[in-house]
Amino acid sequence: MALINEHYLKLQAGYLFPEIGRRVSEFAAANPDKKIIRMGIGDVTQPLVPTVLKAFHEGVDEQGTAATFKGYGPEQGYEFLRKAIAENAYQANGIDIPADDIIVSDGSKCDTGNIQEIFGADNKIAICDPVYPVYADTTVMSGKTGTCQANGYYEGVIYMPCTEENGFTPELPTERPDLIFLCYPNNPTGTVASKEELTKWVNYARENKCIILFDAAYEAFITDPAIPRSIYEIEGAKDVAIEFRSFSKTAGFTGTRCAFTVIPEEVKAYDSEGNAHSVKKLWLRRHSTKFNGVSYPVQKAAAAVYTPEGKKEVEEVIAYYLENARIMREALKEIGYTVYGGVNAPYVWVKTKGGMSSWDFFDKVLNEANVVGTPGSGFGPAGEGYFRFSAFAGRDNVLEAMERIKNLS
Ligand code: MLT
C-alpha cells in the first residue's frame, strides 16, 4: 500500500493562482463575448528584448552543429552566466559575491520552495502575512507545521502581520524562528525595505542564529537609489542570508525560465550535535541530484541581460511596467481608493471600499468590469479587505481596465 505525505492534507484550498484561473475560465465560458483583462498573476506581457532574443537564437543554432553542440551542462549553471551575474549584479555594486556562490536554476518559485528540503522539520519558520503563498505552502508540505487553525494560520508557524498600521513592515518576531522568509520589493503589498529596516533583520538573524531567505525577485523595479536591491548591501548579511533572484520579472523570462540563488560559503546551519555545515554544499548536493541544469540557449539568453545593450533594453521594459503602475495608482486614487505599493514595485495593493471582502471585490471587478486581479486574502488573513493589481499588463489594457473600474457601480 502506497502511503501519502500526509502533510499535503493540511493544505487549505488549491494554490491561489490556479484557483483564480478556474474562476476566470468559468466566467469566460459563461460570457464568451466579454473581453477579459488579466491583471491577476504577475506574468509579464512584453517580449524578450532584442539583445536577449539574439543570444537565445545563437544558443539554439549552436545546438545544431556538432562543433558547438552541448549535452548536459553543469547543474549549478555555466560559468559564463555565473560570472556575468557575480560581476554585474553584485561586484559592480561593491558587493563581494563570487561566481562560486551563485547557483542557477529554472525559477525562484522552485528555489524558495525546494530550499526547505535541506532544513530539518524541527525548524521554526517565520513568514509575513500577507505573503507569497509558496513560502507558506512549502513549509506545510515539508512537515514543519501542524494543522490549519480557524484563523487561517498553520500551527507552529511564526506569522508576522503586515498591516496598514505598521506600514506593511513586519515587526521582529517575539518568538525566535530558525528561518525567516522576507521578500523585497514585497509581493503582494509592493512595499520596499530601507537599509535600516534590513539592517535590523540581519542583526537579529546574527544574534539569534537564524537564516534569512531573502526573495529579491522584484529588485529590478527599485529606482530609488537609497533602497537596497540586495540583502548583501547590509553588513554581516553574508553570514546569515540566502538571496533568490530571477530573470522572470527582470527580463521577461516567465515562460523562458531562468533564476539563481546566492548562498555565500559563510552561511552555516547545524546538525543535532551543534556541528556547523555549509548550506551551499547541501544545496549543491540537492541540486546536482535532482536537477540537470537550465538549457544552454536559455543561459546564453540570460547572460545577454548583462551586456550594455541588454541592460539598456531591459531597463526600458521595467520603466514601461513602472509607468503602468503609476497610471494605476493615480487612477485608483482618483476614484477614492487607498493605494499602496506600485512605486518601486510592479504590484499595486488596494484597500477595498466599505470593508468589502477581497473575494467579493474580485467577483465584482470580474463580473462588472471584466478585469482580473488577485484577492488579498489569498495571500493570508491580513490581506483580507485588500486587492492586488499587477502592472505587467500591456498599456492599452491598463488604461482600459482603469476606465472600466472607474465606471463600476
Ligand atoms: C505572483 O503573481 O505573485 C507571481 O507571479 C507568482 C510567481 O512569481 O510565481
Side-chain angles (χ1 to χ4, degrees), residues 15 17 40-43 109 132 134 187 218 249 347 379 388:
Y15 185 60
F17 295 108
I41 190 164
D43 194 5
K109 177 179 180 176
Y132 178 42
V134 170
N187 180 10
Y218 300 95
K249 317 294 159 98
Y347 294 126
F379 296 102
R388 192 195 77 176

Side-chain angles (χ1 to χ4, degrees), residues 17 25 32 49 53 60 89 93 131 133 148 156 175 198 240 264 302 304 319 346 356 362 367 393:
F17 295 108
S25 301
V49 298
L53 194 62
V60 171
N93 301 326
V131 73
C148 189
E175 181 187 352
L198 289 184
V240 290
M356 186 184 268
F362 173 89
N367 289 311

Side-chain angles (χ1 to χ4, degrees), residues 12-237:
Q12 299 301 293
Y15 185 60
L16 176 62
F17 295 108
E19 173 60 20
I20 291 172
R22 192 188 60 74
R23 291 186 186 217
V24 175
S25 301
E26 247 176 51
F27 177 82
N31 300 278
D33 55 318
K34 305 271 195 229
K35 180 192 161 203
I36 299 172
I37 299 179
R38 293 163 201 272
M39 302 169 89
I41 190 164
D43 194 5
V44 294
T45 54
Q46 300 309 296
L48 295 177
V49 298
T51 302
V52 167
L53 194 62
K54 182 168 170 282
F56 201 175
H57 278 298
E58 284 167 6
V60 171
D61 288 343
E62 284 176 56
Q63 291 297 74
T65 53
T68 49
F69 172 79
K70 288 177 178 56
Y72 292 127
E75 292 90 353
Q76 68 274 31
Y78 282 101
E79 197 53 29
F80 69 81
L81 177 58
R82 299 169 80 203
K83 214 164 153 281
I85 295 168
E87 287 173 4
N88 292 279
Y90 294 101
Q91 293 159 10
N93 301 326
I95 304 169
D96 174 29
I97 294 287
D100 209 42
D101 289 352
I102 291 162
I103 300 130
V104 175
S105 77
D106 61 350
S108 286
K109 177 179 180 176
C110 327
D111 285 358
T112 53
N114 289 332
I115 197 89
Q116 298 255 13
E117 201 180 299
I118 62 169
F119 295 106
D122 290 339
N123 282 284
K124 277 259 177 205
I125 315 284
I127 56 174
C128 293
D129 169 25
V131 73
Y132 178 42
V134 170
Y135 317 150
D137 284 5
T138 57
T139 300
V140 176
M141 289 170 174
S142 63
K144 299 187 184 76
T145 75
T147 53
C148 189
Q149 301 162 82
N151 63 0
Y153 282 175
Y154 289 97
E155 233 175 333
V157 173
I158 301 169
Y159 287 91
M160 303 181 292
C162 299
T163 59
E164 202 171 22
E165 290 70 39
N166 64 19
F168 304 101
T169 302
E171 324 283 346
L172 290 174
T174 45
E175 181 187 352
R176 197 197 75 83
D178 301 294
L179 300 169
I180 305 165
F181 274 106
L182 293 178
C183 173
Y184 287 111
N186 188 257
N187 180 10
T189 63
T191 46
V192 285
S194 66
K195 201 159 193 171
E196 296 67 42
E197 183 61 22
L198 289 184
T199 303
K200 177 185 93 179
W201 284 102
V202 168
N203 290 345
Y204 178 85
R206 292 176 66 86
E207 282 155 22
N208 291 281
K209 280 201 168 160
C210 313
I211 292 178
I212 297 174
L213 302 169
F214 191 76
D215 187 348
Y218 300 95
E219 55 78 28
F221 293 85
I222 297 176
T223 50
D224 181 345
I227 305 290
R229 292 174 74 144
S230 165
I231 186 99
Y232 303 119
E233 288 180 42
I234 310 302
E235 208 186 317

Side-chain angles (χ1 to χ4, degrees), residues 323-341:
E323 175 61 8
N324 282 350
R326 190 196 63 76
I327 292 169
M328 289 154 61
R329 281 172 55 89
E330 295 306 312
L332 292 162
K333 274 192 195 162
E334 206 182 299
I335 50 170
Y337 284 99
T338 307
V339 179
Y340 298 95

